[in-house]
Amino acid sequence: MDITPLVKSAIDARGRAYAPYSRFQVGAALETEDGRVFAGCNVENAAFPEGTCAEAGAIAAMVMAGGRQIRRIVVCGGGDTACTPCGGCRQKIREFAVPQTPVTMVSANGSVILVRTLAELLPDSFGPENLA
């Protein structure tokens, strides 16, 4: 599957991040099972660290549009080091994705740095099916 459109959306979202305190901009884009793409950026505020992560913004946009299943997700940070989702975002992704869902981390110019499945990022996870 071609992830180029998803990478572009994550890069564009990163460019819109509001990060005046950390100066660490992050963008994320996810694709739903029906092929729709939703993006988000990190948004900080003066009550640091009470901001929101890029992944959370993308997930909120998906849910608002009626989406419930993440097919794949891309996270774009700065530099050449992988910007992996924080622990809270890994759990948020898990709510709407299966353990085999690919999570791709890219640089600010779109170069793929790291690809992991959600299971590799969040082993032995707790998900909705655990409540059944």
Side-chain angles (χ1 to χ4, degrees):
M1 296 181 128
D2 181 21
I3 66 165
T4 305
L6 211 52
V7 170
K8 182 180 178 337
S9 291
I11 291 170
D12 290 346
R14 181 179 178 272
R16 295 176 184 266
Y18 179 74
Y21 307 105
S22 72
R23 306 230 189 290
F24 189 76
Q25 297 175 296
V26 181
L30 62 84
E31 180 182 56
T32 59
E33 286 296 305
D34 60 5
R36 293 182 294 163
V37 172
F38 298 94
C41 61
N42 60 319
V43 179
E44 298 177 348
N45 73 53
F48 194 76
E50 292 301 316
T52 57
C53 296
E55 300 90 334
I59 291 168
M62 175 193 75
V63 170
M64 183 65 184
R68 293 293 187 268
Q69 184 67 44
I70 298 171
R71 178 185 294 164
R72 55 191 173 165
I73 187 166
V74 171
V75 180
C76 177
D80 295 327
T81 303
C83 180
T84 60
C86 72
C89 284
R90 292 175 194 208
Q91 187 63 47
K92 288 175 181 75
I93 294 166
R94 176 63 178 90
E95 185 69 21
F96 300 99
V98 296
Q100 299 76 27
T101 300
V103 181
T104 303
M105 283 65 67
V106 301
S107 67
N109 68 7
S111 298
V112 174
I113 299 172
L114 183 66
V115 179
R116 293 285 186 261
T117 65
L118 181 57
E120 291 172 317
L121 292 174
L122 190 65
D124 304 316
S125 67
F126 186 87
E129 67 280 358
N130 294 104
L131 298 175

